[in-house]
Amino acid sequence: MMKVTVLVDNDTLVGVNFQGEPALSFYVEEDGKKILFDTGFSDLFLNLTFLGQIPRVLEFENTHSKVVTKLDGDWEEDKLLDDTSLVFDGEEGLVILSGCAHAGICNTVEAAKAITGKSNIQDIVGGFHLLHPTEERMDKTVNYLSQLGLSHITPCHCTDFPSRCRIHQVVPVRPIGSVSVLECR
């Protein structure tokens, strides 16, 4: 049996005092497994914000994808615009949970700051999309990250070892992998 609880929706039931927003979030339970599907649009739910499509505002992160998709019968570059992230608004600042960061980790941070209206970053956890980046991109990424005032950073998925080493020169990198547990306030 599967149980789906609607946590956030743009509709609320008449006579029930809940808030809605232009988003959708499900809590799914099935055979002892629990899945949170999306987290809504704002901080209405769990101090988490879904960033949606990440604007590509920093030119040095506008790289081309090697992935293609078929649109209207023609093969085209897939810009992977659906890759997104979550932001936790914690007591000590924002914690950005990035997927693969196809739009670039710096663009992801910029989106988080723009959407939340906050600039204090506590940690960035997840994929940084830094697999064999160009020297120019790596230099600009490291420079950007060094300006955030982070006490540590937590890159993993899609971040190669040389990129982690370069980042570690300006911000201490915390090791992370399967079964790691991180706690943020």
Side-chain angles (χ1 to χ4, degrees), residues 131-168:
L131 293 171
H132 314 292
T134 65
E135 194 66 29
E136 176 187 15
R137 180 173 180 195
M138 196 67 227
D139 288 345
K140 290 182 177 184
T141 299
V142 167
N143 182 56
Y144 178 92
L145 295 173
S146 73
Q147 305 297 315
L148 295 177
L150 295 162
S151 62
H152 61 270
I153 198 166
T154 315
C156 55
H157 175 78
C158 284
T159 311
D160 62 26
F161 184 72
S163 296
R164 292 180 204 206
C165 291
R166 285 286 309 279
I167 293 167
H168 187 70

Side-chain angles (χ1 to χ4, degrees), residues 97-111:
L97 302 173
S98 67
C100 192
H102 289 123
I105 196 61
C106 304
N107 280 324
T108 302
V109 172
E110 287 299 302

Side-chain angles (χ1 to χ4, degrees), residues 1 16 20 29 45 47-49 57-59 61 71-72 82 96 100 117 120 169:
M1 178 172 108
V16 180
E29 300 171 85
F45 177 68
N47 291 331
L48 288 172
T49 302
V57 296
L58 299 171
E59 187 59 38
E61 288 193 311
L71 294 173
D72 299 323
D82 55 344
I96 299 164
C100 192
N120 183 31
Q169 292 173 352

Side-chain angles (χ1 to χ4, degrees), residues 6-11 19-26 36-55 84-89 94 111-117:
V6 179
L7 300 174
V8 176
D9 190 16
N10 58 323
D11 290 323
Q19 290 182 317
E21 65 178 20
L24 181 63
S25 177
F26 294 134
L36 178 61
F37 177 81
D38 200 336
T39 61
F41 178 72
S42 69
D43 61 359
L44 181 64
F45 177 68
L46 291 178
N47 291 331
L48 288 172
T49 302
F50 176 71
L51 295 182
Q53 184 175 324
I54 307 295
T84 189
S85 298
L86 294 175
V87 178
F88 171 71
D89 187 3
L94 301 176
K113 292 183 341 185
I115 289 171
T116 64

